[in-house]
Amino acid sequence: MRQPSQLGEFEHLLLLTLAQLKGKSYGTEIRKTLKQLINRDSSIGALYATLERMEKKGFISSTLGEPTAERGGRAKRYFELSAEGKQALRETQQQLKTMWQGLEL
């Protein structure tokens, strides 16, 4: 039996953001949504470092879009939640429910 996924706080938030966006999303859009939903600012460097780490773990996948003139001929990199990422979110949700059960703060 495999070990349940252990997500760091920012990984958890980024996976939830990708789930909220329901499809392929690029860095600026992810960052903007995180700011809108929970008022969380993040540097673009921290965002991409975490996205790359999660891709290596299999929680997300990425694809390159077409190069555009307004981006100086560079392509956008789009990210999408994978089945493994969805499972990691479910496991984390269950772990948090268990930990919060019966607590009154």
Side-chain angles (χ1 to χ4, degrees):
M1 184 188 258
R2 77 174 185 77
Q3 192 79 333
S5 299
Q6 298 292 316
L7 296 175
E9 177 196 13
F10 196 50
E11 290 176 332
H12 189 191
L13 292 173
L14 288 181
L15 289 180
L16 287 170
T17 302
L18 286 171
Q20 289 282 341
L21 291 168
K22 298 179 173 99
K24 294 183 179 181
S25 308
Y26 61 97
T28 302
E29 183 180 25
I30 295 166
R31 195 170 169 224
K32 179 180 164 187
T33 301
L34 198 55
K35 176 70 173 166
Q36 287 175 338
L37 293 176
I38 62 167
N39 200 29
R40 172 82 180 246
D41 278 321
S42 66
S43 72
I44 201 72
L47 178 84
Y48 275 102
T50 305
L51 289 169
E52 287 175 16
R53 184 172 61 250
M54 290 193 308
E55 188 168 22
K56 286 179 185 172
K57 291 180 179 182
F59 295 153
I60 63 173
S61 61
S62 70
T63 55
L64 284 178
E66 294 296 316
T68 60
E70 55 273 351
R71 292 179 46 86
R74 294 179 304 143
K76 285 183 183 174
R77 188 168 167 201
Y78 292 93
F79 297 90
E80 189 170 23
L81 193 58
S82 68
E84 292 86 356
K86 290 175 186 176
Q87 182 61 31
L89 282 174
R90 282 189 215 92
E91 289 171 3
T92 300
Q93 180 185 40
Q94 187 56 51
Q95 290 168 355
L96 290 172
K97 278 182 183 178
T98 299
M99 293 301 295
W100 276 99
Q101 199 168 22
L103 285 181
E104 301 230 2
L105 301 177

